[in-house]
Amino acid sequence: MRISGCGIVVLSLLVFSFVELNVHARPVVLVLSNDDLNSGGDDNGVGESSDFDEFGESEPKSEEELDPGSWRSIFEPDDSTVQAASPQYYSGLKKILSAASEGNFRLMEEAVDEIEAASSAGDPHAQSIMGFVYGIGMMREKSKSKSFLHHNFAAAGGNMQSKMALAFTYLRQDMHDKAVQLYAELAETAVNSFLISKDSPVVEPTRIHSGTEENKGALRKSRGEEDEDFQILEYQAQKGNANAMYKIGLFYYFGLRGLRRDHTKALHWFLKAVDKGEPRSMELLGEIYARGAGVERNYTKALEWLTLAAKEGLYSAFNGIGYLYVKGYGVDKKNYTKAREYFEKAVDNEDPSGHYNLGVLYLKGIGVKRDVRQATKYFFVAANAGQPKAFYQLAKMFHTGVGLKKNLEMATSFYKLVAERGPWSSLSRWALEAYLKGDVGKALILYSRMVEMGYEVAQSNAAWILDKYGERSMCMGVSGFCTDKERHERAHSLWWRASEQGNEHAALLIGDAYYYGRGTERDFVRAAEAYMHAKSQSNAQAMFNLGYMHEHGQGLPFDLHLAKRYYDQALQSDAAARLPVTLALASLWLRRNYADTVLVRVVDSLPEVYPKVETWIENVVFEEGNATILTLFVCLITILYLRERQRRQVVVVADPVAADVAQPLDADVAQHLAAFPR
């Protein structure tokens, strides 16, 4: 019986059909309680590093400096980029990507040999790639120990992507004392890459699938300049629409909707929007001049634009003004009182960054009496609104036990949330670009790189590509392209990792794999374990499946009472399950009251009959020629039926006995009947 994809056999007057429920991956929700608050008030170093360095005198670091060995120079080449790795490393990396695109196994062998030579010569970034190679078993026998060793060498040499891989490895083993140290460093680097007063929207990696199908809606919105909606918006902007100008500038500034971040284009459109009287662009112009993004840094102009934006009611601009007063840039001198007043104005208008900034003032005692508990409350509000730097501060508090009770597990989780927004997250954008261009092999390599770094979306995307595209995924093993068995095993491993990070759909697919024997031996017991895992994440389909398995004694004890309990829980979890649950309960009633009867045996046999009927309909009935013949046959039967019915009506009226009781025929009806030959 098909129970995955929410397909179920339902009983209704002995007519069975399939009903699908919606399955979505549920986000992990982290909740803080008052019990977490620490009564201690001493600052043991939580706030020692400056939290206002975004406006420091030094120029902001490039992504290559923040992420040494970055793949950016390959995907977004820039003459000004200084490569931190050897030419041999980049040459080998380019060949790996080309081989993945072309499905060229020989070129991949040559590429890995070249990378290995650079690794042996001490290049930490080449060592990182070898850690990746050994981790997935591509051109080399899969070896966790060799992968771990190479990532250790690479991390010691400053490779941040290997640090992400090691941190995730420690996290999976519940070694929070080691994971937290690495994630703390990575989160700090990520924070240094964030913008100044107006943080970019949280741009999560795009999930290219929805359940077992391609996520067409999300993909359509990620095509950048090729997207039809963007082209329409650009046309409107060129015709003088100020709102369209602002939106295009926003897309380029933050790198949204599949566009690559381009501060020069963003500046161009913001200036044009301001000329048309669009006020929201003023704040971002202040941000641009304060940061020196695409222009020479100018704090005086930054203050002017931010002030104009604030006068127009853009309250988040108060944060930028407050920053300037904290640092004393663009103003006469530092003024912590004014800074606090501006941050409070932002808070009064429910701006998350305002809460964060006030939290920093109270944490460090800048212009106010130091109050760690008050700071914690501000950070909590900002974090609930999605402010990433607030998560970073809360992580440090959990890490050090200042303001919050020391909790390394919570600290690790919060640091990881921030670290995953670091510059290395660009891999996700490049993977999506490759996928949208039809380059599935390159997309798989990029997502696979992110897999070992702990990105759940990448884990499910890579697994889905392996399942969906099969041989076309260009999956490569030790001595050739992956066999069906190897692909299933890789996909299974990836779904399981995603499941561990809260992806309930992944756990459901693992259960299906065991239930149906897809890529593994059929095992109802392990299927039930996987469904139990999905059920613990409040997945209605998993609850239904567990009820079905109890009803039929598959992998779980035969127990109609437990079956009913799981069916009821499925309905409580998802209202869309009402119809299938109602029919499943009807099936339970039949099984309870008519056990060991022909009726129950017929019901149990239907799961085997249905696929055959479905196949027959698809292959025979819906075949083009057969469908035409069937349609003509149905029409002929209908005509014959109507003609026979009309003939009988005429006979009844003509009968002398019946004529006494028959009603006179309407003239139109009589005329219509006369048209038919007798």
Side-chain angles (χ1 to χ4, degrees), residues 6-59:
C6 305
I8 63 165
V9 177
V10 295
L11 175 64
S12 177
L13 300 177
L14 296 181
V15 177
F16 287 74
S17 62
F18 280 67
V19 179
E20 294 211 353
L21 306 176
N22 291 325
V23 179
H24 301 284
R26 301 172 190 262
V28 177
V29 178
L30 298 173
V31 179
L32 294 175
S33 68
N34 288 330
D35 292 338
D36 291 315
L37 291 173
N38 191 345
S39 59
D42 294 335
D43 183 351
N44 295 326
V46 173
E48 285 180 359
S49 62
S50 173
D51 292 285
F52 296 97
D53 287 342
E54 292 93 335
F55 282 169
E57 292 85 348
S58 60
E59 291 295 319

Side-chain angles (χ1 to χ4, degrees), residues 3-300:
I3 57 178
S4 65
C6 305
I8 63 165
V9 177
V10 295
L11 175 64
S12 177
L13 300 177
L14 296 181
V15 177
F16 287 74
S17 62
F18 280 67
V19 179
E20 294 211 353
L21 306 176
N22 291 325
V23 179
H24 301 284
R26 301 172 190 262
V28 177
V29 178
L30 298 173
V31 179
L32 294 175
S33 68
N34 288 330
D35 292 338
D36 291 315
L37 291 173
N38 191 345
S39 59
D42 294 335
D43 183 351
N44 295 326
V46 173
E48 285 180 359
S49 62
S50 173
D51 292 285
F52 296 97
D53 287 342
E54 292 93 335
F55 282 169
E57 292 85 348
S58 60
E59 291 295 319
K61 292 183 178 180
S62 67
E63 290 200 17
E64 180 62 36
E65 292 175 295
L66 294 171
D67 182 21
S70 168
W71 299 18
R72 180 174 300 278
S73 62
I74 295 176
F75 288 95
E76 300 176 18
D78 185 347
D79 293 338
S80 63
T81 301
V82 178
Q83 295 186 346
S86 67
Q88 193 174 23
Y89 159 74
Y90 281 110
S91 173
L93 184 56
K94 288 178 182 178
K95 289 179 181 177
I96 285 177
L97 295 169
S98 296
S101 296
E102 302 166 9
N104 189 329
F105 186 78
R106 297 302 176 192
L107 180 60
M108 185 66 79
E109 282 185 318
E110 180 184 332
V112 172
D113 288 342
E114 193 168 343
I115 289 289
E116 189 170 39
S119 171
S120 300
D123 187 322
H125 312 303
Q127 291 167 346
S128 179
I129 298 298
M130 288 308 298
F132 167 64
V133 165
Y134 280 114
I136 65 173
M138 184 179 73
M139 305 297 116
R140 300 291 185 273
E141 287 288 344
K142 186 174 181 179
S143 172
K144 291 183 179 179
S145 59
K146 288 184 178 180
S147 174
F148 184 78
L149 183 64
H150 279 86
H151 279 310
N152 261 295
F153 285 137
N159 186 278
M160 305 304 282
Q161 294 181 24
S162 278
K163 290 181 182 180
M164 283 287 289
L166 288 175
F168 184 61
T169 299
Y170 289 133
L171 177 62
R172 291 192 73 201
Q173 298 174 0
D174 293 328
M175 299 172 66
H176 296 106
D177 55 332
K178 292 187 176 181
V180 75
Q181 297 295 336
L182 286 168
Y183 275 130
E185 179 185 351
L186 291 159
E188 183 178 5
T189 301
V191 167
N192 289 335
S193 72
F194 291 168
L195 301 177
I196 307 168
S197 62
K198 188 175 180 64
D199 288 296
S200 62
V202 178
V203 183
E204 299 292 345
T206 301
R207 199 177 297 277
I208 63 176
H209 66 100
S210 178
T212 58
E213 301 300 322
E214 188 175 66
N215 191 356
K216 296 185 183 298
L219 294 177
R220 183 182 62 80
K221 296 178 180 179
S222 303
R223 294 187 178 275
E225 295 177 348
E226 297 178 5
D227 179 32
E228 183 178 343
D229 290 344
F230 177 82
Q231 292 171 358
I232 293 173
L233 189 68
E234 188 176 37
Y235 174 78
Q236 293 173 339
Q238 291 170 347
K239 291 296 182 180
N241 186 310
N243 183 55
M245 294 174 181
Y246 165 73
K247 286 185 176 179
I248 290 180
L250 198 69
F251 291 165
Y252 277 119
Y253 189 61
F254 291 127
L256 305 176
R257 299 294 293 267
L259 292 171
R260 291 185 176 180
R261 187 176 292 177
D262 190 325
H263 292 147
T264 302
K265 287 184 178 180
L267 177 65
H268 167 77
W269 286 110
F270 286 146
L271 287 171
K272 289 178 73 71
V274 166
D275 289 341
K276 290 287 185 178
E278 212 295 318
R280 292 171 293 178
S281 298
M282 298 175 182
E283 179 186 5
L284 288 163
L285 284 171
E287 169 84 27
I288 285 173
Y289 279 107
R291 189 172 179 82
V295 296
E296 185 177 350
R297 182 177 289 183
N298 188 321
Y299 292 119
T300 302

Side-chain angles (χ1 to χ4, degrees), residues 520-678:
T520 184
E521 293 293 327
R522 196 172 189 183
D523 189 329
F524 289 144
V525 174
R526 297 190 73 175
E529 291 173 354
Y531 290 142
M532 279 289 187
H533 187 63
K535 178 254 181 187
S536 69
Q537 298 164 346
S538 302
N539 183 281
Q541 180 61 54
M543 297 172 187
F544 187 94
N545 291 354
L546 289 168
Y548 178 84
M549 295 178 81
H550 271 300
E551 180 183 353
H552 294 270
Q554 295 178 329
L556 293 171
F558 175 79
D559 192 322
L560 299 184
H561 294 289
L562 280 177
K564 181 180 184 304
R565 180 183 300 176
Y566 280 120
Y567 288 144
D568 289 340
Q569 288 178 359
L571 180 58
Q572 292 172 2
S573 180
D574 189 347
R578 180 172 299 280
L579 177 59
V581 167
T582 300
L583 295 168
L585 292 176
S587 175
L588 281 181
W589 181 85
L590 281 176
R591 199 172 300 281
R592 184 179 294 113
N593 292 280
Y594 295 93
D596 300 323
T597 64
V598 174
L599 180 59
V600 172
R601 286 195 290 273
V602 169
V603 170
D604 287 340
S605 69
L606 285 173
E608 298 178 3
V609 173
Y610 182 88
K612 297 177 182 178
V613 174
E614 185 180 40
T615 302
W616 181 80
I617 291 174
E618 289 178 354
N619 297 336
V620 179
V621 176
F622 289 148
E623 197 274 328
E624 185 175 355
N626 292 342
T628 302
I629 295 172
L630 181 63
T631 302
L632 293 173
F633 179 74
V634 171
C635 291
L636 177 61
I637 293 296
T638 303
I639 292 171
L640 291 174
Y641 167 75
L642 292 174
R643 180 173 177 177
E644 177 65 16
R645 181 180 176 185
Q646 291 164 346
R647 188 188 67 76
R648 289 181 180 180
Q649 288 177 345
V650 172
V651 170
V652 169
V653 172
D655 189 293
V657 177
D660 294 335
V661 295
Q663 298 294 323
L665 286 174
D666 182 271
D668 293 336
V669 175
Q671 184 180 3
H672 178 71
L673 291 175
F676 286 85
R678 301 183 183 181

Side-chain angles (χ1 to χ4, degrees), residues 485-499:
K485 184 175 184 296
E486 287 173 333
R487 278 196 305 275
H488 281 305
E489 288 175 350
R490 283 195 188 184
H492 181 86
S493 174
L494 292 170
W495 284 127
W496 190 256
R497 290 192 192 185
S499 167

Side-chain angles (χ1 to χ4, degrees), residues 28-32 36 167 170-181 183-184 391 394-401 404-418 500-501:
V28 177
V29 178
L30 298 173
V31 179
L32 294 175
D36 291 315
Y170 289 133
L171 177 62
R172 291 192 73 201
Q173 298 174 0
D174 293 328
M175 299 172 66
H176 296 106
D177 55 332
K178 292 187 176 181
V180 75
Q181 297 295 336
Y183 275 130
F391 281 106
L394 290 172
K396 288 201 290 185
M397 289 179 158
F398 275 124
H399 189 185
T400 60
L404 292 168
K405 292 180 181 178
K406 191 169 184 177
N407 186 327
L408 294 185
E409 184 174 356
M410 288 292 287
T412 303
S413 298
F414 277 73
Y415 278 139
K416 184 175 185 288
L417 284 174
V418 180
E500 290 176 341
Q501 298 200 76

